[in-house]
Amino acid sequence: MTTQRTQEELGRPLPSGEFRQVTEAIVANIEQVIEGKTATVRLALAVMLAEGHLLIEDVPGVGKTKLAKALARSVDCTVRRIQFTPDLLPSDVTGVSVYNQESRDFEFKPGAVFANIVVGDEINRASPKTQSALLECMEERQVTVDGVTYPLQTPFMVVATQNKIEMEGTYPLPEAQRDRFTARIAMGYPDVGAEIAMLDGHGAEDPVLGLLPVSDAATVRGLIAAVRQVHTAEAVKHYAVNLVNATRESPDLRLGASPRATLQMLRTARAVAALEGRDYVLPDDLQALAVPVLAHRIIPTAEAQLSRRTTDAIVADIVHRLPIPTERPRPSVYGRTVDARAEQYDPRRR
Ligand SMILES: Nc1ncnc2c1ncn2[C@@H]1O[C@H](COP(=O)(O)OP(=O)(O)OP(=O)(O)O)[C@@H](O)[C@H]1O
Ligand SMILES: [Mg+2]
């Protein structure tokens, strides 16, 4: 299980006013270079605040690398970029002990994972051995080289990109490794207006170079601490478990989602709720996250594959069919109509 940072390491949770200000600034900053993808940008930020890792998978040229770079640049913290190639070694990722002639001792040279945000570009081009070196760090948030364990920084987030069309010369991530990613997102093509805005804004030079950070690592730790305090009602927890269980029982799936998936879905739901200015999770948050959080870690049966049903469609279908937790409508108080949903999930209004 992912080793999470203790509350002390994260420090003081950011109060809600400040939370809103910082997160809006980060989203606006990224949107200076990524046109017309607000929902995707917000989800990427939610994954960061849920202490997760992000996999961006899509066809070439839709801004995968750009989103990863813009997110990393928006936060003033250490960023390392790894361009994955077949000859990249595990030690390039984790680090290596080298002998120092002067001190007559071994010295640790940290690899690319010793950063707050690690952008792993075209992750499926590295050999399975190198991929798994990265995936170990993602899970344990630490690196062990020659018997010595080095903790990684907080926040620590891997943003990996991969192209889903190109198959030649790639090593597709096995399911167990895909499970390390909290969410998989696709960029999708921009609509006409956004594509024209891109031509206007990006025609001359790459605007990502001019992007200035609007936050720093300590602030992000405060955001993460605030997200951890978001309330989750019992009914919402049950709904999350039922959703994941439904993938395990689905006749269309050979492999359902893991308990790790349930945990990550709930954490991301807290982040999404906080980004929307709520301090409690709604079942709707889970519904919106089911496809990005679950679809990349499950395996369809041979029949489902033959009939070209994607895991996205299978998960969407499960969400559609599973009843959401029952609402208990209450009479309106003092003639005011009570918002039944907030009534049920907001702890102060019960
Ligand atoms: N929605 C968008 N808004 C702004 N720019 C975009 C958008 N989509 C693509 N672009 C532009 O297209 C170019 C290619 O983007 P990028 O290099 O991020 O693609 P990629 O998805 O990583 O492709 P590949 O799989 O080939 O690496 C960039 O200059 C980027 O600015
Ligand atoms: Mg790219």
Side-chain angles (χ1 to χ4, degrees):
M1 228 189 65
T2 311
T3 334
Q4 277 206 307
R5 295 301 176 220
T6 62
Q7 206 67 46
E8 283 134 69
E9 283 175 284
L10 290 174
R12 182 183 68 97
L14 234 59
S16 65
E18 235 175 294
F19 186 98
R20 190 171 194 96
Q21 203 184 339
V22 174
T23 52
E24 291 303 325
I26 296 176
V27 171
N29 210 44
I30 300 173
E31 286 203 294
Q32 285 185 32
V33 298
I34 299 287
E35 305 285 349
K37 295 284 163 208
T38 309
T40 313
V41 170
R42 293 183 80 92
L43 183 56
L45 179 59
V47 170
M48 174 190 247
L49 302 187
E51 295 166 87
H53 305 292
L54 185 67
L55 180 62
I56 313 177
E57 191 179 84
D58 214 323
V59 296
V62 286
K64 297 185 294 296
T65 305
K66 181 134 294 179
L67 173 61
K69 277 166 76 178
L71 178 65
R73 266 181 180 259
S74 298
V75 181
D76 186 13
C77 62
T78 51
V79 178
R80 293 289 292 270
R81 162 133 179 219
I82 317 175
Q83 185 69 47
F84 282 82
T85 54
D87 58 358
L88 189 80
L89 296 173
S91 57
D92 296 331
V93 173
T94 54
V96 66
S97 289
V98 288
Y99 189 69
N100 183 331
Q101 292 281 9
E102 273 171 30
S103 65
R104 301 189 168 204
D105 204 357
F106 281 95
E107 208 171 71
F108 180 62
K109 291 251 178 274
V113 291
F114 286 86
N116 291 118
I117 300 182
V118 179
V119 178
D121 220 4
E122 320 226 23
I123 189 171
N124 55 347
R125 289 180 180 276
S127 69
K129 201 171 176 181
T130 305
Q131 284 179 6
S132 58
L134 177 69
L135 294 155
E136 258 172 51
C137 313
M138 291 165 64
E139 186 63 6
E140 327 246 321
R141 287 166 196 266
Q142 63 184 33
V143 173
T144 304
V145 175
D146 294 336
V148 185
T149 300
Y150 306 90
L152 296 176
Q153 302 170 21
T154 314
F156 172 61
M157 181 193 198
V158 172
V159 187
T161 76
Q162 69 177 11
N163 177 335
K164 64 176 180 186
I165 294 292
E166 225 159 28
M167 278 301 149
E168 211 170 309
T170 62
Y171 304 89
L173 293 177
E175 259 66 18
Q177 302 191 346
R178 296 171 79 93
D179 203 30
R180 259 87 174 154
F181 286 97
T182 302
R184 175 190 61 180
I185 57 176
M187 300 293 299
Y189 295 116
D191 61 27
V192 174
E195 202 157 346
I196 288 176
M198 177 190 88
L199 293 179
D200 290 339
H202 307 208
E205 58 163 31
D206 190 351
V208 87
L209 300 172
L211 222 52
L212 293 174
V214 290
S215 178
D216 55 25
T219 311
V220 171
R221 287 195 286 272
L223 295 174
I224 291 173
V227 162
R228 284 190 181 186
Q229 293 185 330
V230 171
H231 175 80
T232 318
E234 285 306 311
V236 172
K237 288 182 203 158
H238 272 112
Y239 182 57
V241 171
N242 287 346
L243 257 179
V244 173
N245 253 313
T247 66
R248 297 172 191 156
E249 285 160 9
S250 165
D252 294 325
L253 296 175
R254 190 152 59 85
L255 176 74
S258 60
R260 181 194 280 138
T262 328
L263 255 177
Q264 294 184 344
M265 183 152 77
L266 208 63
R267 282 190 198 137
T268 316
R270 287 199 182 106
V272 167
L275 285 178
E276 289 191 2
R278 267 182 284 120
D279 58 2
Y280 54 93
V281 177
L282 286 176
D284 313 48
D285 299 326
L286 296 170
Q287 289 192 322
L289 287 172
V291 171
V293 174
L294 302 178
H296 64 290
R297 7 176 150 226
I298 56 184
I299 310 179
T301 56
E303 295 81 59
Q305 259 166 336
L306 272 178
S307 58
R308 296 191 175 274
R309 272 176 59 105
T310 61
T311 53
D312 284 28
I314 296 170
V315 172
D317 196 38
I318 289 172
V319 170
H320 184 68
R321 279 199 260 167
L322 197 73
I324 61 168
T326 49
E327 281 162 29
R328 291 167 300 169
R330 289 196 196 170
S332 62
V333 187
Y334 308 123
R336 177 170 62 91
T337 19
V338 175
D339 176 353
R341 301 184 73 66
E343 173 98 342
Q344 188 175 3
Y345 303 109
D346 182 349
R348 288 157 315 200
R349 296 180 63 179
R350 304 184 72 163

